[in-house]
Amino acid sequence: MTVPILTNTAARHLFLHKHGLSERPSGAGKGADLSAALDHLGFVQLDSVNTFARAHDLILWSRRQQYRPPALQSLLQGRAVFEHWTHDAAAIPMALFPHWRLRFSRDADRMATLWKEWRRDGFMEKIDDVLRHVTDGGPCSSGDVGTDEVKGSGGWWDWHPSKTALEYLWRSGQLSVAKRVGFRKVYDLTERVIPPEALNARPHVDETIDALCAGALDRLGFATSGELAAFWDTVTPAEAKDWCAAALADRRLIAVDLEGIDGKLRRSFAWPDVMDQAVAPPVKRLRILSPFDPVLRDRKRAERLFGFHYRIEIFVPAAKRKYGYYVFPVIAGDRMIGRIDMKREGEVLNVSAFWPERGVQMGTGRLKSLEAELDRAARFSGCIDVRYGEGWLKRGLDQPG
């Protein structure tokens, strides 16, 4: 049979629609509206870097510009979402909690082995003590355990044994995040945090694999088996490959050839109606995205679809950085148009530089759109002014000086 071709334009439109970037960023940005937006995405990555706004807040704000950070904490404390791990810490819809039992068991086995090498010795011996501390004393944070232990001085991951035990109990599902104070997690027993209907469900592993693979495809629109596995980072590549083969044989899926921006085709999978979906082009609205935005999470896929080469240069020596320490991607319609270096300093949003992508002309209209979005971003981050550094608007790679 002839494999249908999903053109690059159609693929970009479908991909952005699936990632909530096709329509104007309207909506209440809280309660049921925010819960629906998060379910549409599948999860949002939680990250501590806060030069302008935390990753999860910027991800949600770029889709709901009435959103404010307390709204996500309200979902957590209202038990509409739970916190656990995908490829990183994330806020996940509560409906998926039963399927995270597979993740709990796999993380428990993996962490018991790997953390003996990665962390300081002795954390396994502290697990019963920490669990008893939470059981008897109620919710606690890492500062409440191991008070007699020597604190590490080796950076983020140099945890004292009781802190490691606390994280292990969370990753293995015995504890859950009850709330956050600032960005600090407060843990409690899982049975005291998770609602009974989610807590008591026990899906078979095959049900979980099916739910996670199908859920990933729903949220991506098209994918290879490896991309399905990587979406939640819970199903293994082999399990996703077998799921695709079985679903293809049962005609639940079809194969499609996905056209990259360079015209090259890449075999992927999609639901049978993918070629019949009439997805409108995204609105022309310019948006500033998080470096961890779901649409850019797979950097290689972003290059294939959008021709956008993006890497975070946090760990690159300053002398070797092409751009800034932590720059934000900028999208307009279905095109990545550049990246911006900006930082919140008190009540001022300082804009150091904007680099247009190759072929992007920053005419009067587009420049006004960027400045309008920066004004909105300033209000979101609690700033009262936007200041532009000298020479902030850089020359594009193929534009005259």
Side-chain angles (χ1 to χ4, degrees):
M1 293 179 61
T2 302
V3 175
I5 295 175
L6 192 61
T7 67
N8 181 252
T9 297
R12 282 186 283 123
H13 291 178
L14 177 59
F15 196 69
L16 292 171
H17 170 70
K18 292 292 186 180
H19 286 80
L21 292 174
S22 284
E23 300 177 352
R24 296 187 65 81
S26 58
K30 60 183 178 181
D33 176 69
L34 182 62
S35 183
L38 199 150
D39 184 67
H40 185 81
L41 292 173
F43 63 93
V44 290
Q45 179 175 336
L46 302 170
D47 192 78
S48 61
V49 177
N50 193 16
T51 60
F52 158 62
R54 299 194 193 278
H56 44 284
D57 292 326
L58 185 49
I59 289 168
L60 295 170
W61 177 76
S62 64
R63 291 154 174 84
R64 298 285 193 278
Q65 290 200 338
Q66 292 188 55
Y67 166 82
R68 293 298 181 267
L72 181 58
Q73 288 307 303
S74 293
L75 291 188
L76 174 64
Q77 293 183 240
R79 307 310 181 221
V81 301
F82 70 100
E83 287 192 26
H84 207 261
W85 214 258
T86 54
H87 62 292
D88 211 319
I92 307 163
M94 187 61 73
L96 288 168
F97 182 86
H99 297 300
W100 246 249
R101 292 196 175 278
L102 177 62
R103 180 72 186 233
F104 298 155
S105 63
R106 291 179 173 178
D107 275 4
D109 293 340
R110 183 165 53 245
M111 297 301 99
T113 300
L114 294 180
W115 281 10
K116 288 180 180 179
E117 300 176 5
W118 295 354
R119 306 286 186 255
R120 280 193 265 165
D121 292 338
F123 80 90
M124 293 298 290
E125 289 76 10
K126 294 291 184 179
I127 286 175
D128 288 343
D129 290 342
V130 171
L131 188 58
R132 189 179 306 111
H133 179 96
V134 179
T135 301
D136 297 341
C140 77
S141 65
S142 59
D144 300 319
V145 297
T147 55
D148 60 339
E149 297 170 15
V150 177
K151 303 299 188 287
S153 58
W156 288 350
W157 306 111
D158 187 10
W159 299 339
H160 59 81
S162 290
K163 157 69 172 173
T164 305
L166 191 65
E167 289 287 311
Y168 175 86
L169 288 165
W170 172 53
R171 293 287 294 271
S172 63
Q174 298 174 72
L175 299 181
S176 291
V177 176
K179 63 180 180 179
R180 282 185 181 255
V181 178
F183 200 67
R184 178 168 51 87
K185 295 193 291 286
V186 177
Y187 306 86
D188 201 355
L189 296 179
T190 290
E191 57 264 32
R192 297 199 295 231
V193 174
I194 304 300
E197 60 273 20
L199 179 69
N200 297 328
R202 295 291 193 278
H204 187 274
V205 63
D206 291 340
E207 294 178 78
T208 289
I209 291 171
D210 181 70
L212 294 183
C213 287
L217 189 58
D218 284 341
R219 291 167 174 88
L220 291 172
F222 47 81
T224 64
S225 63
E227 289 167 343
L228 294 181
F231 186 84
W232 312 103
D233 197 27
T234 296
V235 172
T236 68
E239 289 167 342
K241 184 176 182 179
D242 289 344
W243 182 85
C244 287
L248 193 62
D250 292 341
R251 298 185 179 181
R252 288 180 64 194
L253 296 183
I254 63 168
V256 296
D257 279 339
L258 179 68
E259 182 185 35
I261 199 165
D262 59 0
K264 294 181 180 179
L265 301 179
R266 180 181 176 85
R267 184 62 51 88
S268 298
F269 299 101
W271 297 122
D273 64 348
V274 67
M275 304 303 294
D276 301 324
Q277 295 184 35
V279 178
V283 296
K284 298 296 184 181
R285 174 67 175 266
L286 184 149
R287 310 180 209 222
I288 297 169
L289 302 180
S290 164
F292 299 106
D293 195 278
V295 81
L296 299 170
R297 183 175 297 116
D298 185 328
R299 307 300 191 199
K300 292 183 179 179
R301 180 172 58 207
E303 288 186 48
R304 290 194 299 268
L305 278 179
F306 300 99
F308 187 62
H309 179 85
Y310 180 77
R311 301 293 185 273
I312 299 174
E313 297 183 319
I314 291 177
F315 301 110
V316 177
K320 295 184 178 181
R321 289 177 190 151
K322 185 175 181 181
Y323 304 105
Y325 163 80
Y326 191 83
V327 299
F328 299 85
V330 179
I331 189 171
D334 67 353
R335 187 177 185 184
M336 304 301 303
I337 67 165
R339 60 203 82 199
I340 193 164
D341 188 354
M342 61 186 190
K343 185 177 182 180
R344 185 187 68 250
E345 296 179 343
E347 294 185 332
V348 175
L349 180 62
N350 283 315
V351 179
S352 302
F354 175 78
W355 295 270
E357 284 295 285
R358 184 181 297 277
V360 172
Q361 300 293 326
M362 294 302 293
T364 301
R366 183 166 276 165
L367 189 56
K368 285 183 177 179
S369 294
L370 176 59
E371 291 171 345
E373 182 71 350
L374 286 166
D375 287 340
R376 289 187 287 265
R379 292 194 295 273
F380 169 63
S381 65
C383 296
I384 61 174
D385 193 17
V386 181
R387 293 180 186 168
Y388 297 88
E390 183 178 355
W392 72 276
L393 184 59
K394 304 301 182 182
R395 180 170 58 88
L397 293 176
D398 56 356
Q399 295 178 12

